[in-house]
C-alpha cells in the first residue's frame, strides 16, 4: 500500500509565511511508523523544492517528490521528459527576471523561484491577488507556460511540466503497490484526484479558501484529521498483521 500526501495544508497547517510551515507531530510520527512497515510505502508529494521538502519532514525510507512532480527522489529513475528540464529551467529564469521587476508593485508579496516553477505568495497582501494573477496570465500567454491558482499563491510552470498525478501513478507502479491513498488540499492535488484510477483513493482536505468542486472520493476537514486518518491506517495494518497475512484490510472513509 502506498500512502502519499501533499505537505502544506495537508501534513502541515497553512501559516502566514511558507518558511514557517511545520508538519504536525502526529502526522510525521504516523508516516515514520508506516515507512518502517514491509506492507506500506510512504511518499510526500509537494510543490516545494525537493531539498526544502526533505528538510521539513525527514522520514527514513520515505519517497519525496517536489516541484509538483518534476523533482524526484534520486532512487527513482529519471522521469519521462527529463532531458527537457534544462530548457524548462532556462525559460523560467527569464520569466523570473520579469517578475522581479514587477514585485515593487505588490509590496508584501513574495516571489519564490523554485527549480521547476515560479510562485508569488500574497497571503499577507490579498488586495494584490488580481493584478498578480493578471501578470501571470500575461506570462503564460506570451510563452509556453501554464498558471496554477493555489491558496493565496499563483504559480507558473512550463506547459510540458509533469503533474502530481503523473508522480503518484509513477510511484505506485515503481514501488509495486496495489492500492494508494493520496491526501491533498489544493488545486494541484486535483491532478491526482481526477485520474479516475480506482486503485488511488483521493482524500481532500477541505477549507474555506476555495469553493471549487473536487474530484476526490473522500474528504477530511483539517490537517489534524489527516493525522487521524494516517493513525487509523497504521492501526488497521497492525491489526491485519496480528491477525495473519490472509486477513483483508478494511478501511472507512467519509464520502464527499
Amino acid at each position: 500500500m502506498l500512502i502519499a500526501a501533499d505537505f502544506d495544508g495537508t501534513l502541515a497547517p497553512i501559516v502566514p509565511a511558507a518558511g514557517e510551515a511545520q508538519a504536525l507531530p502526529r502526522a510525521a510520527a504516523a508516516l515514520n511508523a508506516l515507512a518502517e512497515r514491509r506492507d506500506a510505502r510512504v511518499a510526500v508529494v509537494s510543490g516545494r523544492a525537493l531539498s526544502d521538502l526533505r528538510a521539513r519532514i525527514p522520514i527514513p525510507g520515505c519517497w519525496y517528490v517536489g516541484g509538483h512532480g518534476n523533482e524526484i527522489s534520486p532512487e527513482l529513475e529519471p522521469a519521462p521528459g527529463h532531458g527537457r528540464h534544462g530548457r524548462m529551467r532556462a525559460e523560467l529564469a527569464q520569466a523570473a527576471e520579469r517578475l522581479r521587476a514587477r514585485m515593487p508593485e505588490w509590496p508584501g508579496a513574495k516571489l519564490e523561484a523554485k527549480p521547476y516553477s515560479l510562485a508569488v505568495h500574497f497571503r499577507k497582501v490579498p488586495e494584490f491577488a488580481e493584478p498578480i494573477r493578471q501578470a501571470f496570465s500575461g506570462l503564460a500567454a506570451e510563452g509556453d507556460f501554464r498558471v496554477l491558482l493555489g491558496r493565496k499563491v499563483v504559480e507558473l510552470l512550463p506547459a510540458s511540466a509533469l503533474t502530481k498525478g503523473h508522480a503518484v501513478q509513477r510511484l505506485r507502479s515503481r514501488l509495486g503497490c496495489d492500492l494508494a491513498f493520496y491526501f491533498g488540499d489544493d488545486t494541484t492535488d486535483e491532478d491526482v484526484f481526477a485520474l479516475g484510477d480506482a486503485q488511488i483513493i483521493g482524500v481532500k482536505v477541505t477549507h474555506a479558501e476555495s469553493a471549487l468542486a473536487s474530484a476526490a472520493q473522500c474528504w477530511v476537514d483539517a490537517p489534524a484529521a489527516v493525522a487521524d486518518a494516517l493513525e487509523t491506517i497504521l492501526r488497521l495494518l497492525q491489526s491485519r498483521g496480528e491477525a495473519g497475512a490472509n486477513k483483508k484490510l478494511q478501511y472507512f472513509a467519509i464520502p464527499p
Side-chain angles (χ1 to χ4, degrees):
M1 179 185 295
L2 172 65
I3 300 96
D6 179 29
F7 183 76
D8 294 279
T10 303
L11 298 175
I14 294 293
V15 291
E20 299 172 355
Q22 294 184 334
L24 292 175
R26 285 198 303 119
L31 288 176
N32 265 290
L34 286 163
E36 293 174 352
R37 297 186 60 83
R38 296 183 62 184
D39 54 1
R41 300 292 183 270
V42 168
V44 182
V45 183
S46 171
R48 286 181 179 265
L50 187 60
S51 58
D52 181 31
L53 189 61
R54 285 181 178 274
R56 290 186 185 279
I57 184 165
I59 297 174
C62 180
W63 300 83
Y64 294 91
V65 179
H68 301 295
N70 292 279
E71 283 191 282
I72 59 176
S73 295
E75 297 86 354
L76 289 171
E77 63 268 28
H82 187 75
R84 298 195 301 272
H85 285 189
R87 178 176 58 81
M88 290 162 50
R89 296 180 71 168
E91 293 171 349
L92 283 170
Q94 294 176 0
E97 289 303 311
R98 295 180 63 180
L99 281 173
R100 286 191 184 96
R102 301 213 43 192
M103 291 306 294
E105 301 175 26
W106 315 311
K110 180 182 177 182
L111 172 64
E112 183 183 8
K114 296 183 277 189
Y116 295 102
S117 67
L118 296 172
V120 170
H121 301 266
F122 53 87
R123 180 164 294 276
K124 296 182 178 181
V125 284
E127 64 270 23
F128 295 126
E130 189 54 33
I132 291 171
R133 289 169 181 158
Q134 289 178 0
F136 272 68
S137 294
L139 287 170
E142 295 173 18
D144 195 19
F145 298 108
R146 60 190 175 102
V147 177
L148 298 177
L149 304 178
R151 300 180 66 175
K152 299 296 189 293
V153 62
V154 185
E155 198 151 5
L156 190 75
L157 285 84
S160 59
L162 301 180
T163 69
K164 290 182 178 180
H166 296 128
V168 174
Q169 281 189 316
R170 183 178 183 79
L171 281 167
R172 191 173 78 80
S173 174
R174 170 68 175 79
L175 301 178
C177 297
D178 299 314
L179 179 69
F181 286 89
Y182 181 77
F183 297 83
D185 73 305
D186 212 347
T187 308
T188 56
D189 300 306
E190 292 298 329
D191 290 326
V192 183
F193 301 151
L195 286 172
D197 187 336
Q199 305 307 312
I200 300 176
I201 299 172
V203 185
K204 170 82 171 185
V205 184
T206 61
H207 54 85
E209 293 181 358
S210 174
L212 297 177
S214 174
Q217 296 100 316
C218 312
W219 58 266
V220 293
D221 61 5
V226 174
D228 292 339
L230 294 174
E231 290 173 343
T232 299
I233 291 171
L234 175 61
R235 286 196 302 270
L236 289 168
L237 287 174
Q238 290 169 336
S239 297
R240 183 180 68 166
E242 293 168 0
N246 293 325
K247 181 179 178 181
K248 292 184 178 180
L249 171 69
Q250 301 294 320
Y251 69 89
F252 300 87
I254 304 172

